[in-house]
Amino acid sequence: MMKPPARHKGLVLATLCATMFMAMLDNVIVNNALPRIGQQLHSGVSGLQWVVEGYSLVYAALLLTGGTLGDRYGRRRIFLTGLAVFTAGSAAAALSGSTGTLIAARMLQGLGAALLTPGSLSILRHVFTDEKERAKAVGLWSGISALGLAVGPVLGGPIVDAFGWAAVFWINVPIGVVGLLLAARVLPEFAARTRKLDLPGQALSALGFGALVYALIEGPARGWTDARVLILAAVAALTLPGFVAVEARSADPMLDLRFFRDRVLTGAAVSGFMISFGMFGAAFFLPLLLQNVMGWSPSDAGLAGLPMTAMIVVAAPLSSALTQRHGPRLPLVTGLALCATALGALSLHGADARYPQYVWVLLTMGLGMGMTFTPVSITVMQRVDPARAGMASATLNTLREIGGVIGVAVLGAVLSSRLTATSTESLHRLGAPAELGRHLPGAASDSTAALPAAVHDAVNAAFIDALHLALRCGSAALAAAALLVALLLRPPRSAAPSPVAGRPAAQREAARR
């Protein structure tokens, strides 16, 4: 390995933090642009879901493959390739003139993010060889990544108001270009090691998750008995267990299933998956409620999320201290429970709600999210051998991303099904075409602009009713996850009172036995 000079370490860290911030930001910044995209590109719920899902699905499906390619062909080379692809995808998204083109560009962004993300952490671990120095670097890298998720909704609104929806993609282009120039100069290269590509596992993973998400998104629009939906659901039901079976038998798997033999790591993985499931689903729907139904501007909708962002920043160091002192169980269970409470409480508010009435819900949601980010990362760093840390990190990132994909798809399916059923009944009573109920409020076609107020009110009421059901489903899922994690992380009766997180690996292994 070619190590960088000591003076370059800060530049390496800055480069990796900036590119990870950009990749994480793109997960959520697009949400505040969705209503404008729906209006200008005439997209319904399904189309807007794919704008979000196209990025996340490709990112999640190819994240483990990105790590394998980095090992085989060089982490610096694959990182630079991923950053170039991501930047090109961002420009293509900004120039898109149709929903289909935008979805394709978002998938290209997801491919780039999947290539650059695994190499980012691997490069950090090798550049910062001192344990204390490495811990600080990884902590900053993780914090910047979480900050990207937190500030995305806040930045997205004002950007959309000032420059239009395409600006949320243009913002990535100068960052990507500067990152490429800097990374090419300061990032070290690592000697590639021979590693067999897990082609069967990758094919089954991509096919299985793709079929599952497609069926969940298109089911409400096409009908759950539609032949295409049923075929894709069957494909997912066959290929996903097949993926697990292939990985279990592989000598060099892309997903090491031994990771899940440790119940504490499994608890951390469940937490990461379920937080993404509930919060990505909520982040998808809230801008639609605030802008299309409640009439807020994108800037106001973005700024409304500031309390949640502030609580994430406050909760991150608090959860780190709690994890070091008590282990991950307390902050993870508390975070999941707070998020479940917030989603349930949010379902009690409709179009006539005033911001002061539910700002406490946003504070609670931010506190819950912030309590879960750091404990998951700390748990992996402390309980996994260094040789397997990269695999464990990629596995957790994949599960987080898949959780977001499944969350938007499942909660979107709940919302779309309820919206179609409720609005069809209401519009039938009003003598209006039932097809109007399949569109988002305020994001249908130009022909709906002059519809009677009663029809608009009926569609809005149906949307709020469907949103409330989706939020309650998300709340129930997070509450169940909090209970499961509490059981998984329950300390064994024979364990010493000192927290597991503070002991050496050998002692932790003995405690688990």
Side-chain angles (χ1 to χ4, degrees):
M1 180 189 77
M2 180 183 66
K3 293 185 178 180
R7 66 180 182 275
H8 279 179
K9 286 186 176 181
L11 289 176
V12 170
L13 180 59
T15 301
L16 298 178
C17 285
T19 51
M20 280 303 299
F21 177 85
M22 180 178 64
M24 294 299 103
L25 182 74
D26 217 68
N27 260 316
V28 292
I29 194 173
V30 71
N31 287 328
N32 269 1
L34 289 176
R36 291 284 180 86
I37 293 172
Q39 291 164 7
Q40 295 182 16
L41 300 185
H42 309 305
S43 302
V45 174
S46 177
L48 293 183
Q49 279 183 268
W50 274 111
V51 170
V52 176
E53 300 282 30
Y55 176 88
S56 297
L57 179 61
V58 174
Y59 182 31
L62 299 180
L63 190 58
L64 291 173
T65 298
T68 303
L69 292 174
D71 287 341
R72 187 178 178 90
Y73 299 109
R75 297 186 183 102
R76 177 179 179 271
R77 180 183 302 173
I78 297 301
F79 179 90
L80 290 172
T81 301
L83 185 53
V85 171
F86 184 92
T87 304
S90 298
L95 294 170
S96 297
S98 67
T99 304
T101 305
L102 178 57
I103 292 169
R106 291 282 289 162
M107 289 181 171
L108 188 62
Q109 284 185 299
L111 171 61
L115 294 176
L116 71 88
T117 301
S120 183
L121 185 56
S122 297
I123 292 170
L124 271 185
R125 290 180 62 86
H126 286 84
V127 169
F128 295 89
T129 54
D130 179 76
E131 287 296 332
K132 291 184 178 180
E133 189 181 45
R134 177 189 293 169
K136 291 180 181 178
V138 172
L140 181 61
W141 179 85
S142 300
I144 294 296
S145 300
L147 187 62
L149 293 174
V151 304
V154 178
L155 291 177
I159 288 174
V160 171
D161 262 343
F163 306 107
W165 65 263
V168 302
F169 301 111
W170 280 126
I171 193 175
N172 295 327
V173 176
I175 299 175
V177 171
V178 172
L180 272 171
L181 295 174
L182 190 58
R185 181 176 178 84
V186 304
L187 293 188
E189 186 55 279
F190 304 89
R193 69 180 181 88
T194 302
R195 184 176 181 183
K196 184 179 179 181
L197 293 179
D198 184 14
L199 295 179
Q202 179 55 59
L204 289 171
S205 171
L207 180 60
F209 284 116
L212 175 63
V213 173
Y214 187 96
L216 287 171
I217 290 178
E218 295 297 328
R222 293 178 175 272
W224 294 108
T225 58
D226 178 78
R228 183 182 300 182
V229 173
L230 291 176
I231 290 172
L232 288 169
V235 169
L238 292 173
T239 53
L240 290 177
F243 167 67
V244 173
V246 166
E247 297 305 286
R249 294 190 178 99
S250 175
D252 196 4
M254 60 182 290
L255 177 62
D256 192 344
L257 297 177
R258 292 176 297 175
F259 177 89
F260 299 101
R261 294 178 183 175
D262 185 323
R263 59 181 177 80
V264 177
L265 288 174
T266 300
V270 170
S271 299
F273 178 93
M274 289 306 302
I275 284 292
S276 292
F277 177 96
M279 295 301 103
F280 274 57
F284 175 83
F285 298 121
L286 284 179
L288 302 178
L289 172 67
L290 293 175
Q291 295 181 48
N292 287 347
V293 176
M294 300 177 73
W296 290 32
S297 70
S299 290
D300 289 340
L303 293 174
L306 272 176
M308 184 168 64
T309 301
M311 289 308 297
I312 291 175
V313 174
V314 169
L318 173 61
S319 65
S320 177
L322 288 173
T323 303
Q324 293 293 340
R325 185 176 181 84
H326 302 289
R329 186 174 189 248
L330 176 62
L332 287 179
V333 173
T334 301
L336 287 165
L338 287 172
C339 287
T341 301
L343 288 187
L346 197 59
S347 72
L348 302 177
H349 298 282
D352 57 346
R354 297 183 178 275
Y355 187 68
Q357 294 177 314
Y358 60 85
V359 66
W360 71 271
V361 176
L362 302 178
L363 292 168
T364 303
M365 193 179 298
L367 180 61
M369 292 174 67
M371 291 290 282
T372 61
F373 287 143
T374 305
V376 172
S377 299
I378 290 178
T379 300
V380 172
M381 294 296 292
Q382 291 181 334
R383 297 188 72 91
V384 176
D385 295 333
R388 297 176 60 212
M391 168 71 75
S393 177
T395 299
L396 277 177
N397 283 330
T398 299
L399 288 173
R400 279 172 169 164
E401 205 63 33
I402 289 293
V405 171
I406 300 299
V408 175
V410 170
L411 298 184
V414 172
L415 182 144
S416 297
S417 296
R418 182 65 167 255
L419 175 62
T420 299
T422 305
S423 60
T424 297
E425 181 181 348
S426 299
L427 293 173
H428 177 73
R429 290 198 302 267
L430 294 171
E435 288 74 15
L436 294 177
R438 297 189 177 95
H439 294 285
L440 290 172
S445 62
D446 295 336
S447 63
T448 64
L451 287 177
V455 174
H456 278 293
D457 291 344
V459 174
N460 285 348
F463 178 80
I464 292 173
D465 174 70
L467 175 63
H468 286 173
L469 178 61
L471 290 172
R472 287 164 187 161
C473 289
S475 175
L478 285 170
L483 178 59
L484 175 60
V485 171
L487 294 174
L488 286 171
L489 302 189
R490 183 175 54 188
R493 295 180 181 178
S494 59
S498 59
V500 170
R503 286 180 278 168
Q507 295 181 20
R508 294 197 303 268
E509 182 63 28
R512 289 198 300 271
R513 293 174 181 170

